[in-house]
Amino acid sequence: IVIGYYDNISYGSRFRHSTRICLERIREAMLHHRWQEAAEYMVFYPQKLEGSEIEYRQNRELIWRISIELLHHMPNSKLEDYNNIHERMKHLGVKIYLKVSLEQSFHLMLCGQIEEAKQLLAIGESWRYGKESASQHQTAKLIQAYRSLLDYVIWCDKKFTLDDTDDDSVTYQDMHSYFRQASVHLKEIFKNPGVWDPFIVSYVEMLEFYDDHEEALKILNDYAYDDTFPPNPNAHVFLYQYLKRRGASDKKLTKVLKVKQLNWKDILSETVEPRKDWWPALHFTSFHAAQDSKENPELMKLKAPVAKIFCPGK
Amino acid sequence: MDYLFPLQLFPSFYNCGPPGGQKHPPCVGAWGCYEQVRPQFQVDSGSGSGSGSGSGSGCSFTPRRQVSGEAWHQKEPLPLPLLPPKPAFVLPLKPPDPMDFTKHMQNFYQDHYQDEFGVMGGLLGDSFYPQDASTQASSIPRWQLDKFLDLLPYQTCSRTYRTVPVDLLSPLLSDSLHSVPMDLLGSLLYDELSEQRDRRLFFDGATGGALDYVPVTEESGCLVYPGGPGLDRLNFQQVEMQPIREGGGASESITTRKPISFQLQGPVRQISSSSILDQICVVVRSQYLCGVWRFSQWEEPRLLQAVSCGQEATGVSVSPHVLGEVLVATESGSVDLWTVGRGMQKVRADDANLYFNAKSPWRWCEFSAHPRVMVYADRTGAELSDIRVQPTSCHTLFRISKASKCRSGERLVLSRYLRDVHPFHHLVTTQHSAYIMDERFPCVPMLKWDHMMQSPPIFCHILPGSAPSAPHTKVLLGSQSSQEVTLLQYSGGRSEACSSSGPPLVLLRPTDSLQQLPVQIPHRRDSASRRLATPAAGLTGIQRKGGGAQQHLCVLQLTEAGDIFYQILQNDAPSHVDETPRRTAEEEAELLASEPLAWDTVSDEDVIGPTQVFGFVPETPERRRPSRTTTDSEGSGPEGRGRGTKVQVVVNENPDPGHVTSAQADKGAGLASAATLSDGALLVWRRWLQKLFLLDHKKKKPRPQNLPHFTVCFNGILQLSVKQMEERAEQVQSLRQRLKAAMSERSMLDSAPQEAPVPLPDGVSGELWEDQLSRRLTAAWEGPEAWRSWWEESLGLNREEKVAALKRKRRREKEARRASGRRLQLSGSFTSSISYQSELSDFSDSAHWGSGRSQGVETDVEGADPDTEGADPDTEGAEPDSIPWAKSPSGIRADAPTPSTRGAAKGHMTPSRPRPPSLTPSLSNTPTNQKRPRPDDYLRSLTGEQELSTQVDSLFPEVLTPPLASLTPPMVSLSQPVRPTLRAGPSQDSAPWSQPQTHSALRRLALAIQPKKKKARMGF
């Protein structure tokens, strides 16, 4: 028994040792972009999953990610190969199921297979297992949001064909159902602080189509002025653009703009004094003068009196 | 337009709070991950050029991580030295251990004894002058002093080689004799060594890097780097990347001109430069000094001003907006704006770290898009501070938090303003990641990479993309101790959101070069590898925006030894694909011819068949590594596909090999074609190494760090004395004469009266020691089971058991007898009696239950020798009622030895033969033998051995010393009457081993062969 025990230990440590070396080689080859070599080593690495439960848990994400990256760089990789790996990995463990689903749908989206991606996301949406961790919760939210985004894409397609077809009412109803599907989850994700530019844009476009301006304005205002959200300049841009589209007054527009820009004129006179030491050096260099005299003598004429105002001593 | 902000950013959650999450995530970085995607509508443009266009609305998606970027690959498989090697201080590879400070103290005392003991030595000299002990009481006798001094250059055992007077004097004088007190020196050395060790592990003073390239004209530029042994000489050297033509293909190389040098007062730690219009401003930071140089295309570099900072300067940054403005950050947490010619102005002071207490005095500063807004960074994050107002108004640009998806323990190591790429972008690096931050959208990274480097990247260089052939921005990150350089690429930042392009690419390191070069002899290889492994000190890159599709990128790396290595990367356009691999393959073939052992592609060619061109190229990134290919394409795991794409597709699915070649070439051209070492590069390296060895040769060898061990001379210790030698010679002489005489008489040589040339000592058997203690010890030698059974027997614990067993056996035999026929009964009774005897002999030891009677008595009963009884009078008393059927072991063993051994042994048993008595434990009770070992001596010698018994038995053959080995024949013939041997008196004392040792060794020997005896007995 004792001998058997030691045999097991040495086998286990030898196994760990060789798999560790294998992983190092894979990593080394991949970092040097020697994909072929890495792939050859990678054939043997999944044996690691036959090790202990801990190793299994630690390695499945690693194997998934490395194999996908290798597929990216293999000359003849096909979509089936990707799907094959994704499907296998999804069922290797519950913890990475959502992550794998999301990445797989991304791949399908990039391949232009919107319907398949949407189907996949819908499956991921309905997937439940035990207690969700914080990151899993966010992944689930993202899956819902991306599914809604795909709804929007299909909605756009319908809108695109709306003008061509005769039977408007059917398409219109179709569109509306997609809109309803999308709006549920999009509204949900806007409650979480984050950067949601594509989602906001698509949702506002749909709302504008259905003339729900109150909701659109509310969404945009929340996105721009909620303190828990990061200070996204695009939030103000979207609001400004929306207001401009709606033909809002100049006052309102400048109010939005003020967040981004300050009115320099008023404070210029007060602040010229402390800037004396560097402003002229920044804007009125001899090189500029030489260049201006060559290329744009009129500008130079204009600049000279200004320079005199700024630095009377010189 | 530069001020454009991306129309849509990638969606992401914004999590506040301290960093958390997985502490050790899998080391895969961002491999195989798109992270996020973003829709793009191309309704207006109508051109579906995106990676995947959906349907009518023209929606396509863009991932945050693009699968591939520009395909850069090295021209040579190893970096080339730019300059010939110069003398430098090369530190050992291993960082020093602070606990070695005593060794350093010792070295100091020996190498600089005048500094340490000169003063007091001069004062005390008269009193300690070695004189006759009678004149001065306190002096040390001369011979003792000489002995002490002789031993000083060696490492000795301080207990064995102690000099009592010196030991007595040292506590008396230890606090007054040293010029530098020992405590002070020790603590200072400890501090210094720990600092050196920390510095070897991670030296933040080098952040930013002391190497910079300033482009002056389109083709040429100025390389600013430190030189000299202490890196305290600032060099400005004009360099040029020139296309040279070799072997049909255009190649790039670097030419240099004579440098302009300035001697500084300290090692250069950071060089930062900025060119405003046509003026170039270079600021140099050393530990406490900063200096500004200025030059242009027409002017030579000249020093404008140098300032001394009160505290150690940790970072400098030269303004890209206003000429002659420099920010200097110091360890005290203050940042000064230094306007050259007008002095320094403190713009910010912070004692504490920004966001949490990271216990780090390191500070960093950079300019930003506005000339009066600076980035102030420490280990916890970076702030944008407006220095126009006092106190400065700040807002966070980056912080170690969940918002930037940091891991716990992650720290900021470098921040860099990317003025050439985007006016609002900053690069921030940590141990694990690199971030692109936008000033206009602080806190949320525009892009995050996992750079996958082993040590933190503290050097970086940014190469802006040049449309249209190389549109991606390239970020070179360099680490210090491991010399890594990683190339990252990204695109976007203006109207498009930033997205990374391809996985990180690790570039070559100087430390790996030797493996690719011809083999050097060991001491040269060691010195070269030490030199090449010195930590990096700077990193820069040159991008040649040449015409045509082929782009070149030169990455330069400075090491702390002052060497600069460069590697040229090229980005091949598809038109070059056909040409490049073939040329590489030809070169490979040439290499093959010279080194046939390093290469084995038999299996490869078998598999791939006609596609050797491609089979060759990707398999040989390093020629020392033979590539392996197996035909096992049916991978068991999901990775079978990854492996199988090559083999399966080539062999099974695609019958047209030519098609495969082109398909593979399309995708893997830039990636897979490995560079081979060209003759030119080899020549450069050869020259460099030769010069390095020449330098080493010139250098005086330093004193070895550790003292040599003092060894006692053993020469002649095992030789015979002169007298013995003479005796031996006489014996040999006489033997020869007699042999000659016998030969001339044609008779046999009568050897009886003469002694054998090699005296054969007698063996000792454990069985001969028949007192209870010895028997117990003998049993103990056989292992714990035997020992336990001995005790059980001697305490009578298993008596009932044995009796029962005996009865059972007898009954069985009786039954057997009854069952067999009448005719067999007689022989049956005979066998039974024999078995009875053997049975009893098996239990012979059981005769001593509780009685504690000695075996010696038994042998006495058998009439062997009465002396034995007397030998152990104090261990065992003689007991008259000995059990008659208890056979002595020696009696049983009588048949064991082979006749030949016995005959051979007989010759040695002649009583006249003198033999060293110490070989056998003397048991005789003769009055002359005063060295008779007492029983407790034996006990001691045996108990000492007992714990080791099991191991020693197996090790025994190696333990045998040559004289002991000669004991073997008599040991085998243990049945011989050995008593006369034991009685032989001591005549010679020349045996080099002591008695107890011999005894135990012999006992071991006896025990080692005991199982053999048992076997013989069982056969009986």
Side-chain angles (χ1 to χ4, degrees):
Chain A
I1 292 165
V2 171
I3 290 169
Y5 176 68
Y6 281 113
D7 256 13
N8 272 340
I9 281 194
S10 60
Y11 171 74
S13 64
R14 265 182 289 146
F15 177 69
R16 270 197 298 279
H17 182 70
S18 52
T19 46
R20 204 188 63 227
I21 288 176
C22 187
L23 180 61
E24 275 168 18
R25 297 263 168 90
I26 293 170
R27 203 181 129 90
E28 187 76 13
M30 287 180 77
L31 285 175
H32 286 96
H33 290 198
R34 300 193 298 254
W35 306 112
Q36 193 67 46
E37 186 192 333
E40 279 167 30
Y41 281 118
M42 196 60 200
V43 178
F44 303 104
Y45 191 73
Q47 286 179 20
K48 183 86 177 167
L49 292 178
E50 291 160 22
S52 68
E53 178 64 23
I54 299 166
E55 280 172 3
Y56 178 79
R57 252 182 285 143
Q58 284 172 346
N59 281 286
R60 58 194 175 195
E61 182 170 356
L62 192 134
I63 287 169
W64 163 49
R65 300 269 295 273
I66 290 181
S67 29
I68 292 294
E69 185 69 32
L70 286 174
L71 273 189
H72 284 334
H73 299 279
M74 283 294 135
N76 294 325
S77 47
K78 298 192 192 73
L79 187 61
E80 297 93 76
D81 300 334
Y82 283 96
N83 283 340
N84 195 358
I85 288 182
H86 280 308
E87 287 300 328
R88 281 183 190 218
M89 284 299 156
K90 252 196 268 185
H91 297 104
L92 271 183
V94 289
K95 274 213 170 155
I96 58 170
Y97 185 92
L98 292 177
K99 251 196 226 176
V100 177
S101 297
L102 193 59
E103 284 292 328
Q104 189 182 2
S105 64
F106 286 161
H107 188 78
L108 290 172
M109 285 181 216
L110 292 175
C111 294
Q113 303 192 344
I114 306 288
E115 284 293 342
E116 287 85 342
K118 199 186 147 217
Q119 211 174 348
L120 203 71
L121 288 171
I123 296 169
E125 225 176 314
S126 58
W127 186 84
R128 290 282 178 281
Y129 181 86
K131 213 174 153 186
E132 279 179 335
S133 69
S135 67
Q136 268 181 322
H137 179 71
Q138 293 196 343
T139 315
K141 280 259 154 57
L142 275 179
I143 285 183
Q144 292 174 351
Y146 274 109
R147 215 261 300 142
S148 309
L149 188 69
L150 292 181
D151 281 335
Y152 162 73
V153 170
I154 296 164
W155 182 87
C156 282
D157 287 347
K158 301 262 182 221
K159 197 178 98 179
F160 191 71
T161 52
L162 193 63
D163 310 329
D164 308 338
T165 50
D166 304 327
D167 194 4
D168 276 5
S169 61
V170 175
T171 322
Y172 194 83
Q173 267 180 6
D174 252 15
M175 275 174 70
H176 196 74
S177 73
Y178 277 112
F179 162 69
R180 264 186 292 119
Q181 276 180 34
S183 61
V184 175
H185 293 308
L186 285 177
K187 252 193 275 180
E188 189 63 31
I189 198 143
F190 296 147
K191 288 176 189 160
N192 301 287
V195 180
W196 309 122
D197 292 0
F199 303 146
I200 289 275
V201 169
S202 51
Y203 189 46
V204 168
E205 190 187 332
M206 287 194 285
L207 287 175
E208 273 187 282
F209 184 82
Y210 293 109
D211 288 332
D212 191 353
H213 294 293
E214 262 179 50
E215 174 75 8
L217 195 65
K218 185 182 166 289
I219 288 284
L220 285 172
N221 265 320
D222 284 353
Y223 193 49
Y225 295 111
D226 194 332
D227 284 343
T228 55
F229 276 62
N232 190 348
N234 273 346
H236 302 282
V237 173
F238 295 149
L239 182 59
Y240 176 80
Q241 283 170 347
Y242 177 77
L243 289 175
K244 210 173 170 187
R245 276 201 299 276
R246 299 276 302 139
S249 64
D250 283 353
K251 201 181 162 193
K252 262 189 178 172
L253 288 176
T254 44
K255 208 176 144 194
V256 175
L257 282 179
K258 250 190 177 172
V259 179
K260 293 179 73 190
Q261 293 176 8
L262 289 167
N263 190 358
W264 290 98
K265 268 187 184 168
D266 301 337
I267 34 174
L268 182 68
S269 53
E270 298 165 26
T271 48
V272 157
E273 197 54 36
R275 283 173 182 75
K276 233 179 195 172
D277 52 342
W278 59 274
W279 259 52
L282 181 64
H283 298 289
F284 304 99
T285 60
S286 55
F287 181 86
H288 274 143
Q291 213 171 23
D292 285 347
S293 67
K294 256 188 272 170
E295 290 166 12
N296 198 348
E298 281 185 19
L299 178 67
M300 196 193 166
K301 273 180 203 161
L302 209 67
K303 265 180 151 183
V306 178
K308 247 179 207 165
I309 297 164
F310 272 121
C311 30
K314 288 193 180 176
Chain B
M1 297 294 263
D2 273 356
Y3 55 81
L4 279 182
F5 192 77
L7 296 176
Q8 279 184 24
L9 298 170
F10 286 101
S12 66
F13 276 95
Y14 177 73
N15 297 312
C16 297
Q22 271 180 296
K23 263 204 167 171
H24 303 286
C27 54
V28 286
W31 281 338
C33 182
Y34 294 113
E35 209 164 84
Q36 301 292 340
V37 294
R38 178 170 66 83
Q40 274 180 310
F41 290 90
Q42 288 156 339
V43 185
D44 299 330
S45 63
S47 61
S49 64
S51 40
S53 69
S55 42
S57 62
C59 174
S60 66
F61 288 88
T62 316
R64 198 170 206 172
R65 317 225 156 268
Q66 312 266 5
V67 166
S68 56
E70 294 161 22
W72 291 94
H73 65 271
Q74 276 95 3
K75 276 180 59 63
E76 302 283 346
L78 73 180
L80 298 179
L82 182 69
L83 307 164
K86 307 269 167 53
F89 300 121
V90 179
L91 295 167
L93 287 175
K94 226 175 72 183
D97 181 7
M99 292 315 288
D100 279 348
F101 70 94
T102 50
K103 272 186 202 160
H104 290 264
M105 281 169 81
Q106 199 175 356
N107 289 343
F108 176 70
Y109 292 154
Q110 284 187 15
D111 295 349
H112 304 278
Y113 50 87
Q114 278 297 340
D115 298 338
E116 183 67 7
F117 307 112
V119 180
M120 284 307 281
L123 288 172
L124 296 173
D126 294 339
S127 316
F128 281 84
Y129 193 72
Q131 284 177 6
D132 190 13
S134 58
T135 54
Q136 282 186 353
S138 63
S139 70
I140 304 171
R142 171 139 208 164
W143 66 272
Q144 242 174 352
L145 196 67
D146 284 348
K147 195 177 142 200
F148 179 74
L149 290 175
D150 284 347
L151 286 178
L152 267 186
Y154 298 105
Q155 233 175 22
T156 52
C157 169
S158 55
R159 286 190 68 81
T160 316
Y161 296 95
R162 60 192 302 189
T163 314
V164 178
V166 175
D167 287 357
L168 289 174
L169 279 171
S170 60
L172 269 177
L173 297 172
S174 61
D175 53 347
S176 60
L177 202 58
H178 301 265
S179 299
V180 184
M182 268 183 4
D183 291 351
L184 178 65
L185 185 66
S187 68
L188 287 176
L189 271 172
Y190 182 84
D191 291 349
E192 172 64 25
L193 288 172
S194 10
E195 198 194 312
Q196 275 187 22
R197 184 198 52 188
D198 294 348
R199 197 187 147 139
R200 284 301 296 273
L201 296 176
F202 178 65
F203 176 49
D204 56 14
T207 309
L211 180 69
D212 208 355
Y213 173 80
V214 192
V216 179
T217 62
E218 280 288 305
E219 288 86 27
S220 72
C222 185
L223 196 65
V224 191
Y225 64 94
L231 296 187
D232 54 354
R233 211 173 162 74
L234 185 69
N235 296 311
F236 292 85
Q237 189 161 16
Q238 204 178 342
V239 294
E240 209 168 325
M241 249 179 107
Q242 281 185 336
I244 55 162
R245 299 192 75 78
E246 47 147 21
S251 173
E252 297 283 319
S253 84
I254 276 199
T255 55
T256 55
R257 307 213 177 135
K258 201 175 166 6
I260 300 162
S261 308
F262 298 87
Q263 182 65 44
L264 312 184
Q265 283 181 3
V268 176
R269 288 184 171 179
Q270 190 198 344
I271 295 173
S272 163
S273 72
S274 132
S275 46
I276 300 164
L277 309 172
D278 55 344
Q279 291 292 318
I280 293 150
C281 202
V282 174
V283 59
V284 172
R285 167 173 69 90
S286 75
Q287 194 169 7
Y288 293 103
L289 297 167
C290 298
V292 173
W293 277 260
R294 180 175 164 172
F295 68 97
S296 69
Q297 196 179 345
W298 304 280
E299 291 171 77
E300 281 201 348
R302 64 194 163 92
L303 175 69
L304 293 183
Q305 196 183 9
V307 291
S308 158
C309 317
Q311 296 275 328
E312 194 170 308
T314 53
V316 289
S317 174
V318 57
S319 170
H321 309 288
V322 181
L323 197 70
E325 282 192 355
V326 178
L327 283 173
V328 182
T330 56
E331 265 194 350
S332 61
S334 69
V335 175
D336 297 88
L337 177 68
W338 172 25
T339 315
V340 174
R342 251 183 281 177
M344 316 243 302
Q345 174 202 353
K346 182 166 282 186
V347 291
R348 184 171 175 153
D350 243 340
D351 291 341
N353 284 128
L354 285 176
Y355 301 109
F356 54 90
N357 186 11
K359 293 174 189 161
S360 162
W362 180 84
R363 298 290 187 281
W364 190 256
C365 53
E366 283 279 325
F367 278 94
S368 73
H370 192 275
R372 279 296 179 275
V373 176
M374 65 157 190
V375 176
Y376 175 82
D378 68 1
R379 292 276 177 244
T380 64
E383 263 187 0
L384 286 166
S385 12
D386 191 337
I387 57 176
R388 288 169 295 189
V389 286
Q390 282 296 340
T392 51
S393 72
C394 308
H395 61 266
T396 303
L397 174 69
F398 173 86
R399 66 186 289 182
I400 301 288
S401 67
K402 246 187 200 167
S404 28
K405 297 192 182 72
C406 293
R407 300 183 215 168
S408 56
E410 199 164 339
R411 296 285 181 271
L412 187 148
V413 291
L414 179 71
S415 163
R416 176 66 59 90
Y417 173 45
L418 306 179
R419 56 178 181 255
D420 299 332
V421 181
H422 193 288
F424 294 108
H425 277 192
H426 293 262
L427 175 80
V428 171
T429 66
T430 64
Q431 305 98 298
H432 308 300
S433 311
Y435 300 88
I436 299 287
M437 306 296 298
D438 194 308
E439 277 177 37
R440 297 164 294 179
F441 191 4
C443 301
V444 176
M446 292 289 107
L447 187 63
K448 175 182 189 276
W449 284 284
D450 202 326
H451 54 63
M452 306 184 83
M453 290 166 81
Q454 284 162 9
S455 32
I458 58 171
F459 313 123
C460 77
H461 188 86
I462 315 294
L463 296 157
S466 57
S469 54
H472 297 279
T473 304
K474 287 156 285 282
V475 179
L476 287 165
L477 297 179
S479 75
Q480 192 202 12
S481 52
S482 56
Q483 296 185 343
E484 292 159 290
V485 183
T486 299
L487 174 70
L488 306 169
Q489 300 177 47
Y490 78 99
S491 57
R494 291 189 164 82
S495 60
E496 302 270 312
C498 289
S499 59
S500 71
S501 319
L505 171 68
V506 170
L507 304 186
L508 302 168
R509 304 189 298 170
T511 181
D512 295 334
S513 313
L514 273 188
Q515 294 160 354
Q516 316 242 353
L517 290 168
V519 178
Q520 303 287 334
I521 51 176
H523 71 274
R524 286 187 173 178
R525 187 196 57 215
D526 289 349
S527 86
S529 63
R530 227 180 16 251
R531 172 105 181 192
L532 291 176
T534 43
L539 171 77
T540 191
I542 307 171
Q543 188 170 20
R544 191 180 146 81
K545 295 165 188 152
Q550 207 169 27
Q551 290 271 324
H552 284 95
L553 186 65
C554 177
V555 179
L556 295 112
Q557 199 178 10
L558 172 79
T559 69
E560 279 182 8
D563 300 319
I564 296 176
F565 297 93
Y566 71 96
Q567 47 192 313
I568 293 175
L569 303 164
Q570 61 187 27
N571 175 16
D572 272 335
S575 60
H576 292 258
V577 167
D578 292 336
E579 182 188 358
T580 318
R582 202 180 305 132
R583 200 181 68 218
T584 325
E586 280 164 13
E587 285 174 14
E588 195 65 51
E590 280 172 25
L591 272 168
L592 281 189
S594 59
E595 289 181 8
L597 281 179
W599 179 249
D600 180 19
T601 47
V602 180
S603 61
D604 222 37
E605 285 171 25
D606 286 347
V607 175
I608 296 183
T611 62
Q612 287 100 336
V613 172
F614 223 83
F616 252 97
V617 178
E619 305 288 332
T620 58
E622 299 159 47
R623 56 190 173 137
R624 72 199 151 78
R625 184 182 46 76
S627 71
R628 287 177 55 252
T629 307
T630 53
T631 47
D632 176 27
S633 57
E634 301 296 319
S636 55
E639 269 20 84
R641 299 296 305 181
R643 170 74 176 81
T645 39
K646 181 190 168 193
V647 180
Q648 275 187 343
V649 171
V650 172
V651 179
N652 304 333
E653 292 175 22
N654 211 327
D656 177 18
H659 174 70
V660 174
T661 316
S662 61
Q664 286 186 328
D666 276 350
K667 197 157 183 178
L671 309 176
S673 63
T676 49
L677 187 59
S678 69
D679 291 344
L682 193 63
L683 191 70
V684 169
W685 265 106
R686 273 210 182 113
R687 271 195 211 137
W688 191 85
L689 286 173
Q690 269 172 6
K691 281 189 179 165
L692 180 69
F693 300 145
L694 217 74
L695 276 180
D696 279 356
H697 190 68
K698 279 184 199 160
K699 214 164 46 181
K700 228 172 70 182
K701 282 208 166 175
R703 210 171 60 79
Q705 282 201 331
N706 294 328
L707 296 178
H709 283 276
F710 175 66
T711 48
V712 177
C713 178
F714 287 104
N715 285 346
I717 204 158
L718 290 174
Q719 281 174 0
L720 297 167
S721 66
V722 178
K723 196 182 159 195
Q724 281 174 320
M725 293 282 273
E726 282 169 2
E727 276 176 15
R728 176 63 51 84
E730 275 171 24
Q731 283 169 7
V732 171
Q733 207 61 40
S734 70
L735 191 69
R736 275 192 189 148
Q737 280 169 4
R738 281 192 294 112
L739 188 66
K740 217 178 239 175
M743 279 170 78
S744 62
E745 287 168 21
R746 292 185 172 238
S747 66
M748 278 180 67
L749 178 65
D750 184 15
S751 62
Q754 298 300 327
E755 60 189 332
V758 181
L760 287 168
D762 296 300
V764 164
S765 151
E767 306 291 335
L768 294 175
W769 295 72
E770 288 164 348
D771 57 301
Q772 202 189 5
L773 176 67
S774 304
R775 290 180 70 88
R776 175 155 55 91
L777 292 175
T778 310
W781 277 101
E782 286 167 32
E785 288 84 13
W787 181 76
R788 198 175 299 117
S789 70
W790 185 91
W791 269 110
E792 280 172 358
E793 278 176 16
S794 75
L795 295 174
L797 294 175
N798 55 352
R799 182 175 191 164
E800 288 82 7
E801 219 175 280
K802 287 203 171 184
V803 169
L806 204 59
K807 275 182 185 166
R808 227 180 299 133
K809 193 172 184 183
R810 275 196 204 153
R811 203 181 309 131
R812 217 181 302 129
E813 279 163 3
K814 225 179 254 174
E815 280 165 13
R817 221 182 309 150
R818 208 174 297 146
S820 64
R822 177 86 190 139
R823 208 176 152 322
L824 287 167
Q825 201 146 22
L826 185 64
S827 59
S829 73
F830 179 62
T831 38
S832 91
S833 73
I834 289 173
S835 67
Y836 175 55
Q837 280 286 332
S838 64
E839 194 65 56
L840 287 174
S841 67
D842 274 346
F843 298 130
S844 63
D845 286 346
S846 66
H848 312 297
W849 299 327
S851 69
R853 58 188 310 271
S854 112
Q855 188 83 356
V857 180
E858 289 163 37
T859 44
D860 186 23
V861 168
E862 295 213 332
D865 199 293
D867 277 346
T868 324
E869 192 189 348
D872 307 304
D874 33 10
T875 48
E876 297 300 325
E879 285 212 7
D881 54 339
S882 62
I883 296 164
W885 38 261
K887 277 191 166 186
S888 87
S890 61
I892 290 165
R893 261 182 276 111
D895 296 43
T898 56
S900 63
T901 345
R902 202 186 301 171
K906 194 166 187 174
H908 305 307
M909 289 301 142
T910 46
S912 63
R913 177 165 55 101
R915 64 179 60 83
S918 52
L919 283 177
T920 57
S922 168
L923 295 177
S924 64
N925 206 11
T926 48
T928 49
N929 186 7
Q930 296 303 318
K931 290 173 81 178
R932 188 173 63 85
R934 290 169 53 80
D936 44 348
D937 286 343
Y938 294 132
L939 184 68
R940 210 179 306 133
S941 70
L942 286 172
T943 47
E945 299 283 332
Q946 186 164 343
E947 293 142 27
L948 294 167
S949 60
T950 44
Q951 294 96 326
V952 169
D953 278 351
S954 60
L955 289 172
F956 184 63
E958 287 84 22
V959 173
L960 265 184
T961 51
L964 273 174
S966 65
L967 286 171
T968 319
M971 289 308 296
V972 176
S973 63
L974 278 170
S975 63
Q976 292 298 319
V978 289
R979 279 304 123 90
T981 324
L982 296 175
R983 240 186 291 152
S987 55
Q988 290 171 356
D989 290 338
S990 61
W993 49 78
S994 65
Q995 222 163 26
Q997 274 174 358
T998 319
H999 183 210
S1000 62
L1002 289 175
R1003 161 107 9 156
R1004 259 183 278 146
L1005 184 56
L1007 287 165
I1009 59 167
Q1010 235 168 16
K1012 213 189 266 176
K1013 286 180 293 180
K1014 286 255 162 105
K1015 256 179 211 162
R1017 198 171 148 202
M1018 279 157 82
F1020 169 74

